[in-house]
Amino acid sequence: MATASSRYLRYILFAVFGLLVVYFLSSSSIPNTIHRPTGYFSTPSTEQVAVHDGPPPEKAPSNPLHKAPEPEEGSKLDTTGTTPNLAPEFPSAAAGGPRMNATFVTLARNSDVWELARSIRHVEDRFNEKYHYDWVFLNNEEFSEEFKKVTTNLVSGKTHYGLIPVDHWSFPDFIDQEKAEAVREEMKNKKIIYGDSISYRHMCRYESGFFFRHELMNKFEWYWRVEPSIELYCDIDYDPFKFMADNKKKYSFVLSLFEYVETIPTLWDSVKTFMSKHPEHIAEGNALGWLSDDEGDTYNHCHFWSNFEIGNLNWLRSKAYLDYFNSLDRDGGFFYERWGDAPVHSIAAALMLKQDEIHFFNDIAYYHVPFTHCPTGEDYRLKHKCHCEPGKNFDWKSYSCTTKWFDVTGLQKPDGWEKEV
Ligand SMILES: *[C@@H]1O[C@H](CO)[C@@H](O)[C@H](O)[C@H]1NC(C)=O
């Protein structure tokens, strides 16, 4: 008996104690606002806007079961720490600071979609998820629904899909088709990479002279070129577009190297013709010394690797650049040889810009088969969570032209470069 009643007593004491705990917790002054869920709402234009601080906005879930809660009635939207992506034209970046008039741009075929998906994922994870810049995709055929669905879903900014006009992707009437065909046959026999390809030539010519005047690109001032299968190895926690604007840069690179001579035997002759026809376009303080070891007589084949570029579109649309492109185009080397857009852009930049309008982004760690740019300097790599192998850095190797760039422009090489030669 006695044991049973003392057990009851223990139960009652426990129950009273439990009730007291519940009472104290519920009436305490801990603000319940910290339990508010992070929520999003969609504007009709499908742009997403963060209404609370917290992680950067992501695509609003479309599954109705996962519908985000509506903001509480009467509660003021708490935007501390974020800048809402509101303005229809150029909303300010979520990472703060003014948003630039800029876009990513990619020339791609439908079949590139999965290789490109990897690139987009890298760009978003390392940079754009904080900034939400737009992305323009260009193709000489209509983009497939799958291509659009996959890429729109991955890009955190707005996506735009453009068809390339036929006359920007075909033989101009001044090109002798038979002569061009004979060259392709010859290059095929010499086993020159893409030597017999027509589409590769259209692509090089398009990147050299047309992408920046596509109607979708006319709306922008800055571009960042991205190709399929690239990687970014470090966090980029500032806006390179803004850096370019603030520092009056027009063109930039991460990798440079020597061009395959067989593809451009007469390119430099064409450039010299242009220089004598248009001396007014040659900039004072240019980087001719980086292109030529004999004051312009011959080309040393150095070029910036243009599959990565951040640059100014208004420069490419300038009379100087267009005079240059038209002059080269008329000489026919895009079809009678196999001129690449890399030497074409690089020569233009080195001759028609001042040296300090061209920027080397040591801090943008980049891979495009087969070369790696891994930032020199362990401190930087650790701080920016880089995952590239420093020993793979191509910058100071003998086949790179980056050492020469530093020497010609008088820049100081980053600490530790000697260890990576
Ligand atoms: C962006 O730049 C382009 C090209 O310079 C210009 O036409 C356009 O008006 C600019 N847009 C804004 C919003 O400033």
Side-chain angles (χ1 to χ4, degrees):
M1 264 325 259
T3 50
S5 64
S6 72
R7 206 187 312 144
Y8 279 125
L9 195 62
R10 273 210 305 275
Y11 285 152
I12 289 163
L13 279 173
F14 272 127
V16 169
F17 179 73
L19 284 171
L20 282 173
V21 167
V22 167
Y23 172 78
F24 274 115
L25 277 183
S26 61
S27 68
S28 72
S29 60
I30 300 170
N32 63 5
T33 48
I34 62 166
H35 301 300
R36 257 188 335 190
T38 301
Y40 308 103
F41 60 83
S42 305
T43 61
S45 75
T46 76
E47 280 177 12
Q48 279 81 46
V49 182
V51 294
H52 299 294
D53 49 4
E58 34 186 75
K59 299 281 179 186
S62 54
N63 184 339
L65 291 173
H66 299 156
K67 198 158 162 276
E70 296 292 322
E72 286 158 44
E73 256 223 297
S75 75
K76 228 172 125 255
L77 298 190
D78 176 9
T79 54
T80 345
T82 66
T83 310
N85 206 355
L86 282 170
E89 256 309 85
F90 291 102
S92 53
R99 187 184 165 92
M100 305 306 292
N101 186 352
T103 185
F104 289 93
V105 60
T106 298
L107 182 61
R109 294 162 299 202
N110 286 315
S111 57
D112 292 328
V113 63
W114 296 111
E115 297 293 298
L116 184 57
R118 285 172 46 200
S119 299
I120 297 174
R121 195 68 251 183
H122 273 264
V123 171
E124 287 291 335
D125 290 349
R126 291 300 199 167
F127 169 70
N128 203 43
E129 63 163 17
K130 304 183 284 280
Y131 292 85
H132 314 305
Y133 279 108
D134 287 16
W135 206 307
V136 172
F137 298 92
L138 300 173
N139 189 348
N140 63 312
E141 290 170 13
E142 287 287 354
F143 279 112
S144 68
E145 287 310 311
E146 184 193 38
F147 185 100
K148 290 195 248 184
K149 182 170 62 181
V150 170
T151 53
T152 297
N153 186 52
L154 288 172
V155 174
S156 66
K158 274 194 235 168
T159 48
H160 312 263
Y161 300 88
L163 183 62
I164 295 170
V166 175
D167 57 334
H168 291 177
W169 195 276
S170 48
F171 291 95
D173 52 15
F174 52 81
I175 291 296
D176 175 344
Q177 299 263 357
E178 281 174 21
K179 184 173 163 187
E181 195 184 336
V183 170
R184 292 198 299 275
E185 197 55 37
E186 192 189 317
M187 285 202 176
K188 184 182 180 176
N189 296 337
K190 287 195 195 157
K191 298 200 168 24
I192 292 170
I193 185 168
Y194 304 120
D196 62 339
S197 169
I198 296 178
S199 64
Y200 191 82
R201 284 181 170 78
H202 287 316
M203 197 251 315
C204 290
R205 180 168 176 263
Y206 188 77
E207 292 284 16
S208 297
F210 298 100
F211 84 90
F212 48 83
R213 4 179 199 167
H214 190 281
E215 61 166 337
L216 290 176
M217 298 300 288
N218 285 337
K219 291 189 290 199
F220 298 100
E221 186 183 354
W222 300 95
Y223 72 103
W224 181 333
R225 176 167 161 188
V226 175
E227 293 213 344
S229 295
I230 63 122
E231 295 185 39
L232 291 184
Y233 292 118
C234 302
D235 286 347
I236 303 168
D237 47 21
Y238 70 100
D239 184 345
F241 293 122
K242 185 165 186 301
F243 173 89
M244 297 280 289
D246 290 349
N247 293 281
K248 304 204 168 17
K249 306 287 184 189
K250 297 272 163 58
Y251 191 81
S252 65
F253 70 101
V254 290
L255 284 160
S256 74
L257 69 162
F258 293 100
E259 180 59 308
Y260 193 7
V261 187
E262 306 258 21
T263 65
I264 52 162
T266 69
L267 174 59
W268 193 249
D269 295 333
S270 266
V271 170
K272 285 201 283 190
T273 309
F274 165 75
M275 285 196 276
S276 57
K277 268 194 301 193
H278 288 288
E280 76 278 14
H281 292 331
I282 308 304
E284 252 178 75
N286 62 39
L288 175 66
W290 183 69
L291 299 173
S292 174
D293 303 332
D294 49 22
E295 281 157 30
D297 199 26
T298 60
Y299 179 34
N300 62 18
H301 308 116
C302 277
H303 66 289
F304 306 122
W305 216 24
S306 63
N307 47 64
F308 168 96
E309 285 178 327
I310 298 175
N312 187 288
L313 292 160
N314 289 340
W315 170 58
L316 292 173
R317 292 186 287 243
S318 69
K319 180 165 190 321
Y321 186 85
L322 291 176
D323 282 347
Y324 165 84
F325 171 73
N326 290 333
S327 176
L328 265 50
D329 195 31
R330 277 270 155 190
D331 291 338
F334 289 108
F335 297 104
Y336 302 145
E337 296 179 4
R338 205 217 67 195
W339 294 353
D341 51 276
V344 171
H345 284 185
S346 304
I347 292 170
L351 293 179
M352 299 195 283
L353 296 176
K354 294 181 198 309
Q355 287 180 5
D356 57 14
E357 290 176 312
I358 301 174
H359 183 64
F360 169 62
F361 276 111
N362 184 44
D363 42 12
I364 298 186
Y366 178 80
Y367 172 79
H368 179 295
V369 63
F371 298 119
T372 299
H373 164 66
C374 187
T376 303
E378 184 176 54
D379 194 40
Y380 181 87
R381 291 195 303 268
L382 292 176
K383 272 196 192 124
H384 294 83
K385 306 195 188 322
C386 303
H387 71 286
C388 52
E389 193 181 322
K392 296 228 168 102
N393 184 24
F394 183 67
D395 297 352
W396 320 112
K397 308 263 189 271
S398 63
Y399 210 67
S400 163
C401 284
T402 301
T403 301
K404 191 173 180 69
W405 176 258
F406 273 73
D407 293 344
V408 165
T409 57
L411 289 172
Q412 205 186 339
K413 299 190 190 78
D415 284 345
W417 72 275
E418 306 93 331
K419 285 183 247 148
E420 295 177 358
V421 173

